[in-house]
Amino acid sequence: MSNQGITARCYYGTVSMSTTRPPITVAFCHCSDCRRWTGSPALAFAAFDSEDLSAEPALGAPVITNLGVERWNCKHCGSPLAAAFEYIPDQIYIPLGLIDQADQLPVEIHCFSEKQLPWLHVIDDATRGIGTARDTLVEKAE
């Protein structure tokens, strides 16, 4: 990983995010909610401690479409910026597609692997988790 830390930005570059800390984990999520939010067959994201990530301008108020799930999108270009889940406290999830150093962040786990689209073939050595993989995600933060 770069000595400069991790940087990310929305499609237009209006919102930028950064941290000097490595991600807690990097994962694919195959749930229908993440697919619909991003418009992709699976969301790859990096999890960070909420306190370690800065955004300029600030992310502002989240959109809550499902109880316990907060999501932020860029107000200018619509890019999905971040998500937070009540059941995984103090973590924020940034889509890998926004991260400038994504090529240095291999996926470690698949969440909701049982919902992976049957025609999507991801060949990797990452752990396949059933459901949220909440316990694994929380454990990695400790």
Side-chain angles (χ1 to χ4, degrees):
M1 189 164 11
S2 167
N3 291 336
Q4 303 297 319
I6 294 175
T7 55
R9 58 190 164 88
C10 69
Y11 183 66
Y12 283 177
T14 305
V15 177
S16 60
M17 295 173 279
S18 64
T19 181
T20 57
R21 310 275 307 203
I24 296 165
T25 193
V26 181
F28 269 116
C29 186
H30 297 279
C31 81
S32 59
D33 191 51
C34 285
R35 287 197 307 254
R36 194 161 306 280
W37 179 48
T38 62
S40 66
L43 169 61
F45 62 82
F48 298 95
D49 186 304
S50 303
E51 297 292 319
D52 293 337
L53 189 75
S54 63
E56 183 61 41
L59 294 177
V63 171
I64 300 172
T65 56
N66 295 320
L67 189 62
V69 179
E70 298 177 326
R71 297 191 188 277
W72 292 264
N73 288 68
C74 177
K75 293 176 178 136
H76 298 281
C77 66
S79 294
L81 296 174
F85 306 94
E86 185 177 275
Y87 55 87
I88 308 173
D90 305 320
Q91 292 183 28
I92 192 162
Y93 296 81
I94 306 300
L96 276 186
L98 303 181
I99 297 176
D100 297 316
Q101 299 78 17
D103 63 328
Q104 300 170 43
L105 302 173
V107 169
E108 300 169 1
I109 188 170
H110 289 254
C111 303
F112 288 99
S113 62
E114 75 279 11
K115 297 192 182 252
Q116 181 173 327
L117 296 173
W119 50 261
L120 179 65
H121 303 284
V122 180
I123 301 169
D124 61 22
D125 294 327
T127 303
R128 277 9 188 214
I130 302 297
T132 67
R134 167 189 17 228
D135 293 340
T136 301
L137 297 171
V138 169
E139 183 181 293
K140 286 186 141 304
E142 295 176 342

